[in-house]
Each structure stands twice: as C-alpha cells, then as structure tokens.
Amino acid sequence: MSASSSNLSSALIAYQRIEHSFDSAFGAGLNPWRHLGALGFLFFWIVALTGLYLYVVLDTSVDGVYRSINWLSREQWYLGGVLRSLHRYAADAFLLVTLLHLLREFLLGRYTGFRHFSWLTGVPLLWFIYISGVVGVWLRWDQLAQFSAATTAEWLDWLPVFATPLIRNYLSANAVSDRLFSLFAFVHIGVPLLLIFGLWFHIQRISRAEVFPPTALSAGSLLALLALSLALPVTSQAPADLSLVPGLLPLDWFYLFWQPLMFATSAGVVWALVIGGSLLLFVLPVLPHAAAAPIAEVHPDNCNGCRRCFEDCPYAAIVMVPHPSGIAGRQLAQVIPDLCASCGICAGACPSSTPFRSTAELVTGIDMPQMPIGALRQDVERGLAQLEGRNGIVVFGCDQGASLSRLVGEDLARFSLICTGMLPPSFVEYALRGGAAGVLVTGCREGGCAFRLGNRWTEERLAGLREPHLRARPSRKALRIAWADRGEEAELADVVEDMRQALAAERLQNTEPIADATADTIVSPARTTAHG
C-alpha cells in the first residue's frame, strides 16, 4: 500500500469514528453527517427566503445602500435584524456543509465511475456559492466591504483581460456610482438562480434524492440558526469611505479567507491555488482507478416487466422499454451502462430471483454477472450442507460493511454480497427451510449504505412493506438484521454470539423456528428495535 493510500485510509477511519460518535448522540437517522447534502438544500432555501425581504428594503443608491441595510439592525431588529442575521448565518452554514459534503464524498471515494457526473456537476457549485457570498458582503458597503471589493479588483486585475484596471472603481468616491450597486444586486440574485439550476442538475442521476433532511433535523437546524441570530446579531461596521484606507478589520473567514493570503503572497499565488485546486477537483474522476465492475444484465426471457428494479434502482440506471416479444403493453428493463452502480439492488428486487424456482440453472430477469443469483443459491446449498446438525446460522452481509471473515465458528455459513440490497428476501426462508436455525442479515450502518438505499430496501422487504417480501415471517430469534460498518466486526461478533444463545434457548424450549412473528432489527450494533 502506498503512503498516500495509507494516509487516505487513516483519514477515512478517523472520519468514520466522528460519524459514529454522532450516531450515538443523535441516532443514525438524525446524524447531520449523513444528511450534509440535504442540509445544504435547507440552508440554501433559508438564504433565498430571507433574502427576498432584504431585497425589498435594499436601496441600491450610493448614499442609501449602507443606510438601508444598517436600518434593519438598528431600527427593525425584531424582524429585519433577525432576518438579516438568519440570512447571513444560513449562508455560512450552506458553505460549511457544502465543503464538508465534498470532503465526505472524497474520503468515501465517491467521485469515480457512475458517480463522476454528480462530482463534476458539484464542483462549479462551489464557485457559485463563493461568488454570491462575496458579493453579498459588498452590498453592506461598510469598511470590510470596501476592503474586500478593492482587494478582489486587484486580484482580477492581475489577469491581462481588462482594458482598464478595475481598481479604478474604488480609488475615489466619485468613481462609485449607483450602477455599481445595481450590478452587485444583480449578481447577488442572478448567481443563486444559476445555483438552483446547478443543484437540480447535480441530482439528476440520483433517484429519490434527499433534498430536505428529516423534519426533526430541519427544525433543530433552523432553531439553532435563530438562536445564533438572536444571541449574536449581524451588524455592519463603519460605513465605507474611499478617502480613507481601512485599518484593522474583523475578517469574514467564511468567504474572505483568501484575501489576506493575497497580501501575504501575491495575486498570482492565489490564482495558482484557485485554478490548481479547481482543476484537481475536476481531474479526480478521470485519474487511474480500479477497473469498473460489470454492470447489471437483463435476461429478456425471464423479465416480465414488473418495474420493481426500475423503482428500486438508487441511481436511475434502469429504464423500461417495449419488450422484444412484441406483446402489447409488456415492457422490458434496460440498463444504462454509464449510470449503473453495479450494486445488485435490482437483482434483489426481481421476483424471479427466488431460490425456490425448480430449475437446474437459476436465471433471473436481471442479474449481476460477477455474482449471479443462481451461483448464490448453489453457495447457500453448500453452506447448508456443512451446517447440517449444527444448529447453524446463515449470515448474509455485504462487501461494503463489516467483514464477515472476522466471524468465526463452525456453526456459521457466511455469504458476502455486493450490497445487502442485492439479497432476495426468499433466500432467508430458503435458508431456514434448508436447516439453518437462524439468519443474520448485515451491511453498512443505518443511513450509511454505500449505494444509498440498500439498507432501506432490505428492511422494508423483510418487514413485508416492499415487494418482494417474505412469504413466511420468521420468529424474532430466527432472523436478525444488524447494521455495522467496516471496522465494527467485534460488535457484529457480539450480535452473532447473542443470537447463538437465543437460538439455543429456543431449541431447549422446543419452539418452532418459523412462526408468524416479526423479525428483530438491530439498527446499530448497540441498539435493537423490532418491526411492528
């Protein structure tokens, strides 16, 4: 392993520890780290809605722009002042969660292959956010705004593209006109309109994209911003005066952090960092990476056009087309290669992916060539033969979550899938009817599925809330679901041991392993709930 790969792995492990600690505090469902993109949407709309009121009272004249903004904080603090502060803090939060979202996706390696479109369309959004935020600072037209506008003009003047230097607009009071602030207002409103389009484009290849966080998290975030607005209201500094050179100023480290760097180095250095950083972000998806996995394959003779794979695909990689048989109204699933995540969730959704089919070779309507359902049935049958008479447990896991190789015991038959969502629910019943005393289904932590919806669809299918579902409902002791990330193998082993003891106690009580009851769901290795 190279030094860079080792450092990246260490950073990922450190990040996962942070994320898991928030799971303990908030629960996986309300963990803000798992909803960074959705929080970005929330903060953007707070900025947009509060900005509507601020624009109504904004006077874009030279003499009125500072006065109209300052009036909100001084004379109308109870409404305008709070909205101004909320507008500003929401803008800071929007930028912060966007940067954290980018960092999280990078650490998780989610910028290559089928994800390259979302990555590449997300990079320009950073420019839109910064441009709109910096121009928003200028609209205050206080001394900090004067410093920032003049500094930005000097930075842009480094490029040999302007007929006259932009800094001339800030050398004297006579150089500043009403048209300048009309331009600022136009940019401050126009760029967010481009941002809306960019955000829409950014999620086009994601089905069921989360554009708002859970209600409790949204309410908590809004209340936190309101509390901050009331405790530390945003106010303007002294009005801009182009006849004076501003002295010491409290800097805005969210949007203007790069401007002191320009004076510490040079405009050319800042341009090199900005252009180099942007190019690096754009180039990341096309750098050499591991070979792409084979995509899902559709077998027309076994596809009845039920649309379940189409509904369950996390990345809108499946479309329905007329069936080649020519039967009126019958459809066929078709995979879009560039969008396919090779996760196998579609195979788990296919009604023909059942091991109970009496065919020598099990061929499904849609399948993964590197791990076909027919091969999984054969593996399970071999595993059940080895468990005969051992009161054994069949474990279905995924390659993205806790490693099953760390689970030991002759009473275990382990099967790691591409994603837990690839598991057809009928395999649970098949294992139990084939002699297994219990089945454990595991995968990435709740809300942390590497393919977004694998955990969710698995739970809903096993609970009978989504097709395909179990025909017979296993007992609470016979079926468990334990979500555990890579690195949590010890916690998963504890779940296995607890399951062994429960099954042993059930055997002593001579209870049936298959009964009309519900299955336990262990949302994380430390917490257990039951489907009701």
Side-chain angles (χ1 to χ4, degrees):
M1 179 182 292
S2 65
S4 59
S5 299
S6 178
N7 292 336
L8 185 58
S9 298
S10 300
L12 176 58
I13 293 173
Y15 166 74
Q16 286 184 324
R17 288 175 179 170
I18 295 174
E19 194 169 273
H20 293 170
S21 67
F22 275 75
D23 280 344
S24 301
F26 297 94
L30 296 178
N31 186 340
W33 289 97
R34 301 190 187 278
H35 301 280
L36 292 172
L39 283 170
F41 275 91
L42 172 67
F43 294 139
F44 171 79
W45 288 115
I46 293 176
V47 172
L49 293 176
T50 53
L52 290 176
Y53 182 81
L54 300 180
Y55 179 70
V56 169
V57 302
L58 180 66
D59 182 347
T60 57
S61 66
V62 174
D63 297 327
V65 64
Y66 176 85
R67 184 176 61 251
S68 61
I69 291 295
N70 198 45
W71 174 81
L72 290 173
S73 300
R74 304 298 182 185
E75 303 297 331
Q76 204 189 56
W77 65 267
Y78 51 88
L79 177 61
V82 172
L83 288 180
R84 177 190 178 185
S85 299
L86 186 60
H87 180 79
R88 180 51 209 271
Y89 287 131
D92 291 344
F94 181 34
L95 174 61
L96 179 61
V97 298
T98 300
L99 292 173
L100 291 176
H101 177 60
L102 183 146
L103 177 62
R104 182 178 190 266
E105 298 304 291
F106 171 74
L107 291 175
L108 295 174
R110 297 177 181 177
Y111 51 85
T112 62
F114 66 95
R115 292 186 173 98
H116 78 278
F117 178 85
S118 296
W119 179 271
L120 292 177
T121 55
V123 173
L125 302 183
L126 288 175
W127 277 94
F128 292 158
I129 295 171
Y130 267 106
I131 292 172
S132 182
V134 171
V135 175
V137 172
W138 298 350
L139 281 173
R140 294 160 35 173
W141 205 233
D142 56 8
Q143 290 187 357
L144 179 61
Q146 175 187 338
F147 164 79
S148 176
T151 302
T152 304
E154 289 186 49
W155 182 58
L156 293 173
D157 283 337
W158 189 86
L159 299 175
V161 296
F162 300 103
T164 58
L166 295 178
I167 191 61
R168 289 186 176 184
N169 293 313
Y170 306 102
L171 294 180
S172 66
N174 294 331
V176 178
S177 66
D178 296 349
R179 289 183 300 174
L180 180 64
F181 294 101
S182 296
L183 176 62
F184 288 169
F186 174 80
V187 173
H188 190 56
I189 296 173
V191 172
L193 293 178
L194 293 176
L195 185 58
I196 293 175
F197 175 76
L199 289 170
W200 172 82
F201 208 59
H202 180 59
I203 62 174
Q204 277 306 289
R205 294 190 176 185
I206 301 176
S207 60
R208 292 180 175 82
E210 186 186 37
V211 294
F212 280 105
T215 303
L217 183 57
S218 298
S221 301
L222 178 58
L223 289 175
L225 291 178
L226 282 173
L228 188 60
S229 300
L230 292 171
L232 297 172
V234 174
T235 57
S236 299
Q237 299 179 28
D241 187 347
L242 295 180
S243 65
L244 300 174
V245 176
L248 293 176
L249 297 172
L251 190 66
D252 185 324
W253 290 103
F254 276 91
Y255 288 96
L256 308 182
F257 68 92
W258 56 274
Q259 295 187 332
L261 179 63
M262 191 183 83
F263 292 105
T265 56
S266 68
V269 170
V270 175
W271 272 115
L273 292 174
V274 170
I275 295 175
S278 299
L279 288 177
L280 177 61
L281 292 177
F282 276 116
V283 168
L284 273 176
V286 299
L287 292 176
H289 298 285
I295 66 171
E297 290 182 347
V298 177
H299 303 128
D301 292 341
N302 292 278
C303 177
N304 63 7
C306 69
R307 300 174 66 88
R308 290 178 187 169
C309 58
F310 168 79
E311 294 290 340
D312 285 6
C313 180
Y315 300 99
I318 297 175
V319 295
M320 303 304 297
V321 299
H323 200 279
S325 64
I327 300 176
R330 186 176 178 184
Q331 293 183 310
L332 176 74
Q334 186 177 82
V335 179
I336 304 174
D338 290 342
L339 304 185
C340 182
S342 302
C343 61
I345 290 177
C346 54
C350 185
S352 64
S353 297
T354 171
F356 290 105
R357 289 173 58 192
S358 56
T359 57
E361 182 181 2
L362 177 57
V363 180
T364 66
I366 188 168
D367 212 343
M368 302 306 300
Q370 69 272 41
M371 190 179 289
I373 295 297
L376 177 61
R377 182 175 71 172
Q378 295 175 357
D379 292 341
V380 170
E381 288 173 349
R382 285 192 290 267
L384 290 173
Q386 295 175 1
L387 291 180
E388 187 174 359
R390 297 179 185 273
N391 195 41
I393 299 172
V394 172
V395 183
F396 292 107
C398 82
D399 297 338
Q400 319 302 321
S403 175
L404 302 189
S405 62
R406 297 279 298 276
L407 300 178
V408 296
E410 295 182 354
D411 61 339
L412 296 180
R414 304 176 297 270
F415 307 96
S416 186
L417 311 177
I418 302 171
C419 173
T420 303
M422 180 184 175
L423 177 68
S426 52
F427 269 81
V428 172
E429 184 181 355
Y430 191 73
L432 293 174
R433 291 187 180 277
V439 173
L440 172 64
V441 178
T442 183
C444 306
R445 273 205 181 200
E446 180 188 6
C449 176
F451 300 105
R452 297 185 55 242
L453 301 175
N455 298 33
R456 177 179 170 185
W457 291 165
T458 299
E459 284 196 359
E460 292 186 7
R461 291 168 186 168
L462 295 179
L465 303 177
R466 191 174 195 85
E467 295 290 345
H469 60 74
L470 285 173
R471 294 179 299 176
R473 304 292 296 281
S475 71
R476 296 176 183 273
K477 295 182 178 64
L479 172 61
R480 293 197 187 186
I481 304 174
W483 303 130
D485 278 339
R486 185 61 59 93
E488 295 185 311
E489 287 77 11
E491 289 85 346
L492 187 61
D494 291 341
V495 175
V496 171
E497 183 59 33
D498 181 72
M499 193 172 181
R500 285 190 179 112
Q501 296 177 10
L503 290 172
E506 184 181 54
R507 189 173 69 257
L508 291 175
Q509 296 171 5
N510 295 319
T511 58
E512 290 291 333
I514 300 181
D516 186 15
T518 56
D520 271 353
T521 295
I522 301 181
V523 178
S524 69
R527 185 160 61 93
T528 304
T529 59
H531 287 301

